[in-house]
């Protein structure tokens, strides 16, 4: 059974809606390259449509009624949005869940050093990357520096036209014979992904003998010694302190992410695709978010409570306080049910078990350049709509949530009734590899969960490609799910 391209179904009105959605999406992924940035942007959008802080609702002792909308965050890196529906929460919720972390390079806690007249930042890569893809391209620095006095300094360097950028250097081909004989996983080693950030040395200021104000204290000697030993590093530190008030010790309490510099762009002569960083999984996070917010924008009160969950750490196993494995989601639902007059552990367990969820995550799009790793009848194609993966995993579906047939039948009905173009797929040929999502984690509650998302080319590379038609169909499909399940 072969699905037709979704492009054939669009009239002028559809194309206008598609273009508007994708223009806003490009703005989102260009501005939001970290989990913190995604959360802050999403909260701002939600509050503009009437969402209020769950923490504030708890503090004030207010009750929640159908139509009320609240948000909660974990460490500013994971977010839950809840739009209370008409039916009791105990009867279940419709949940969209996506992740907002993406593969990248993270600065180590002691990153800055000088060698051979160059200042560099030591990194540890995050998530599954092909390390050789991260050399010789412009990079930006995003994140925060938390200081001992409790202040937090936001950092974003490399995105504005007047900003400097950074890079990881590569070996010239003239001297790269041995490098090119290595396996792809070894062409660039993880410890070699150091970011070039300076070359200018600090000026050596000789004290004027006639200048009685020259600093002759004991503190001046170590500073002068450091400048003499590592003058390029010292100049970088001087710039950081002047512009941001950051000292070298402040790196110890910083979260700084190195990501590709530059905005998402239209791809192709026909502008039918998007090329941008972090589309795994922010393409599904964005479409899930705007589907959730569409209920508020149209002043709808959903039948069942609608929930959007945006989590961190999926690329490294969904661990930590902001990952799906944490109790953040469960605790948030417990608090919401308490304020809605449905408190109690048993009622919450019943609510979770009765819920339906789309684990909104991307799928591998068929790439004709690498057709050998795909099985054509059961693969996702760009332009053919929202993808449903009954199972993911690897080596006999290991690590997968395998959705039941009855749930797939309900999904088919909802999508077809809403006129959503969709397709089903596996993640490549059997034993060609595999991967996982957050789906198996909420499935522990007994709820129905299936993976769904947008097909992507060049997944986990610095620049990934998606079809605007699939982005549009994902948005339509997620809206239909929240309204119709």
């Amino acid at each position: 059974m072969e699905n037709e391209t979704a492009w054939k179904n669009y009239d002028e009105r559809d194309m206008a809606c598609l273009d508007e959605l994708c223009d806003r999406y490009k703005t989102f992924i260009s501005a939001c390259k970290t989990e913190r940035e995604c959360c802050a942007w999403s909260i701002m959008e939600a509050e503009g449509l009437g969402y209020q802080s769950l923490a504030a609702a708890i503090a004030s002792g207010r009750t929640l009624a159908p139509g009320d909308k609240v948000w909660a965050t974990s460490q500013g890196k994971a977010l839950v949005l809840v739009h209370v529906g008409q039916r009791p929460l105990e009867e279940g919720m419709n949940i969209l869940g996506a992740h907002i972390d993406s593969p990248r390079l993270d600065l180590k806690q002691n990153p800055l050093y000088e060698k051979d007249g160059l200042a560099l930042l030591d990194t540890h890569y995050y998530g599954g990357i092909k390390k050789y893809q991260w050399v010789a391209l412009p990079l930006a620095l995003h994140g925060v520096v938390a200081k001992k006095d409790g202040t937090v300094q936001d950092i974003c360097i490399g995105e504005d036209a007047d900003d400097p950028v950074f890079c990881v250097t590569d070996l010239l081909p003239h001297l790269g014979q041995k490098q090119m004989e290595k396996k792809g996983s070894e062409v660039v080693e993880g410890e070699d992904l150091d970011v070039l950030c300076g070359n200018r040395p600090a000026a050596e200021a000789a004290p004027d003998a006639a200048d009685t104000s020259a600093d002759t204290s004991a503190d001046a000697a170590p500073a002068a010694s450091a400048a003499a030993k590592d003058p390029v590093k010292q100049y970088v530190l001087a710039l950081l302190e002047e512009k941001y008030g950051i000292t070298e010790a402040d790196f110890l309490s910083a979260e700084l992410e190195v990501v590709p510099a530059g905005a998402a762009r239209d791809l192709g002569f026909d502008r039918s695709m998007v090329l941008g960083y972090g589309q795994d999984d922010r393409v599904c996070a964005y479409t899930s978010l705007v589907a959730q917010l569409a209920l508020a924008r149209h002043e709808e009160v959903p039948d069942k409570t609608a929930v959007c969950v945006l989590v961190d750490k999926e690329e490294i196993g969904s661990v930590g306080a902001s990952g799906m494995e944490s109790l953040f989601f469960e605790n948030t639902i417990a608090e919401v049910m308490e304020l809605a007059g449905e408190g109690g552990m048993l009622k919450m367990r019943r609510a979770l078990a009765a819920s339906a969820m789309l684990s909104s995550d991307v799928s591998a799009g068929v790439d004709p350049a690498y057709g050998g790793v795909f099985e054509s009848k059961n693969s996702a194609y760009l332009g053919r709509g929202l993808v449903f993966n009954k199972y993911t995993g690897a080596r006999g579906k290991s690590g997968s949530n395998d959705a039941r047939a009855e749930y797939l039948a309900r999904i088919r009905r909802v999508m077809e009734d809403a006129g959503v173009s969709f397709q089903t797929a596996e993640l490549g040929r059997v034993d060609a590899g595999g991967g996982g999502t957050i789906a198996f984690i909420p499935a522990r509650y007994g709820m129905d969960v299936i993976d769904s998302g947008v097909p992507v080319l060049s997944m986990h590379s610095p620049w990934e490609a998606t079809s605007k038609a699939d982005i549009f169909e994902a948005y339509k499909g997620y809206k239909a799910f929240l309204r119709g399940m």
Side-chain angles (χ1 to χ4, degrees):
M1 191 170 93
E2 186 172 322
N3 299 80
E4 283 195 347
T5 178
W7 289 104
K8 293 182 178 180
N9 301 326
Y10 300 150
D11 56 22
E12 289 186 11
R13 184 173 180 276
D14 292 325
M15 286 301 301
C17 292
L18 179 152
D19 287 336
E20 181 185 5
L21 173 71
C22 291
D23 283 345
R24 287 189 283 121
Y25 167 62
K26 288 184 294 181
T27 298
F28 171 76
I29 59 169
S30 298
C32 301
K33 294 186 177 181
T34 71
E35 318 83 79
R36 290 176 185 266
E37 291 167 346
C38 289
C39 272
W41 193 94
S42 300
I43 291 169
M44 180 182 67
E45 291 289 303
E47 288 187 333
L49 290 168
Y51 276 79
Q52 298 181 344
S53 163
L54 177 61
I58 294 169
S60 65
R62 61 168 289 199
T63 59
L64 294 179
D68 285 340
K69 303 173 289 293
V70 292
W71 62 265
T73 184
S74 176
Q75 301 184 345
K77 295 188 283 186
L79 179 67
V80 173
L81 300 171
V82 180
H83 191 149
V84 181
Q86 300 175 47
R87 293 166 62 176
L89 280 92
E90 189 177 350
E91 295 183 16
M93 299 160 282
N94 292 331
I95 305 167
L96 299 173
H99 69 90
I100 48 178
D101 61 315
S102 296
R104 59 180 189 258
L105 307 179
D106 285 342
L107 294 197
K108 293 184 179 181
Q109 287 185 281
N110 290 296
L112 184 59
Y113 70 98
E114 178 177 336
K115 189 171 184 180
D116 298 331
L118 300 174
L120 300 115
L121 295 165
D122 202 358
T123 71
H124 193 137
Y125 66 92
Y126 174 97
I129 66 170
K130 292 180 176 178
K131 295 183 281 291
Y132 62 79
Q133 292 180 331
W134 286 77
V135 301
L137 79 161
L139 300 170
L141 195 61
H142 290 237
V144 297
V145 177
K147 303 177 186 178
K148 289 191 298 181
D149 63 4
T151 60
V152 178
Q153 176 72 55
D154 290 321
I155 301 294
C156 181
I157 309 171
E159 301 294 352
D160 290 340
D162 292 334
D163 280 353
V165 293
F166 311 93
C167 76
V168 177
T169 59
D170 195 9
L171 182 63
L172 65 163
H174 312 68
L175 301 177
Q177 180 178 344
K178 288 187 177 180
Q179 180 194 44
M180 297 305 292
E181 293 171 356
K182 295 181 179 180
K183 294 191 302 182
S185 61
E186 299 171 352
V187 169
V188 176
E189 301 284 351
E191 282 290 358
D192 293 334
L193 292 172
D194 292 353
V195 175
L196 183 61
C197 67
N199 176 233
R200 179 178 173 178
E204 294 185 23
D208 190 334
D211 185 2
T212 57
S213 66
D215 188 355
T216 57
S217 66
D219 292 338
S225 176
K229 180 183 176 184
D230 295 317
V232 178
K233 172 184 172 181
Q234 292 307 311
Y235 191 66
V236 169
L237 285 172
L239 292 173
L240 289 173
E241 186 163 14
E242 178 185 355
K243 186 170 179 63
Y244 300 104
I246 296 170
T247 67
E248 184 172 13
D250 289 329
F251 281 115
L252 297 175
S253 51
E255 291 179 3
L256 295 170
E257 303 177 11
V258 181
V259 298
R265 302 282 296 274
D266 285 343
L267 174 62
F269 289 119
D270 54 4
R271 296 180 177 270
S272 62
M273 295 168 285
V274 173
L275 185 71
Y277 165 68
Q279 298 200 73
D280 177 10
D281 183 38
R282 294 181 186 127
V283 65
C284 296
Y286 180 78
T287 46
S288 295
L289 173 69
V290 293
Q292 175 85 11
L293 297 183
L295 298 174
R297 181 169 283 109
H298 296 112
E299 299 183 348
E300 297 179 44
V301 179
D303 180 35
K304 285 188 173 183
T305 294
V307 180
C308 180
V309 185
L310 305 178
V311 291
D312 183 21
K313 301 291 194 293
E314 191 274 346
E315 297 294 358
I316 58 171
S318 295
V319 295
S322 53
M324 195 68 202
E325 286 274 21
S326 77
L327 294 179
F328 167 56
F329 167 67
E330 182 179 320
N331 290 344
T332 299
I333 298 303
E335 295 283 8
V336 168
M337 293 187 70
E338 186 71 28
L339 296 184
E342 297 186 60
M345 181 63 70
L346 183 56
K347 286 190 175 184
M348 184 191 71
R349 295 296 180 195
R350 288 171 177 166
L352 292 171
S355 295
M357 181 176 183
L358 295 184
S359 170
S360 307
D361 206 341
V362 296
S363 191
V366 170
D367 188 334
Y370 307 100
V373 298
F374 297 97
E375 193 268 284
S376 60
K377 301 187 305 301
N378 292 285
S379 293
Y381 293 82
L382 264 64
R384 297 187 186 179
L386 178 60
V387 183
F388 289 96
N389 295 88
K390 185 178 188 297
Y391 46 81
T392 54
R395 299 177 303 281
K397 303 183 183 179
S398 177
S400 169
N401 168 68
D402 199 339
R404 62 182 177 134
E406 294 87 346
Y407 187 45
L408 275 163
R410 290 169 60 198
I411 293 289
R412 287 174 57 201
R413 173 183 57 78
V414 169
M415 297 300 138
E416 289 174 4
D417 287 351
V420 176
S421 295
F422 70 94
Q423 53 187 317
T424 60
E426 298 180 13
L427 191 61
R429 295 177 64 88
V430 174
D431 289 336
T437 67
I438 65 171
F440 75 97
I441 303 169
R444 292 171 178 168
Y445 298 117
M447 71 174 70
D448 279 313
V449 185
I450 189 170
D451 287 303
S452 70
V454 173
V456 175
L457 299 183
S458 303
M459 191 189 299
H460 280 215
S461 73
W463 297 98
E464 299 166 317
T466 55
S467 170
K468 291 181 178 180
D470 299 326
I471 297 170
F472 187 46
E473 296 302 321
Y475 166 62
K476 289 167 53 182
Y478 294 157
K479 277 199 307 180
F481 174 84
L482 292 178
R483 290 167 170 164
M485 287 299 289

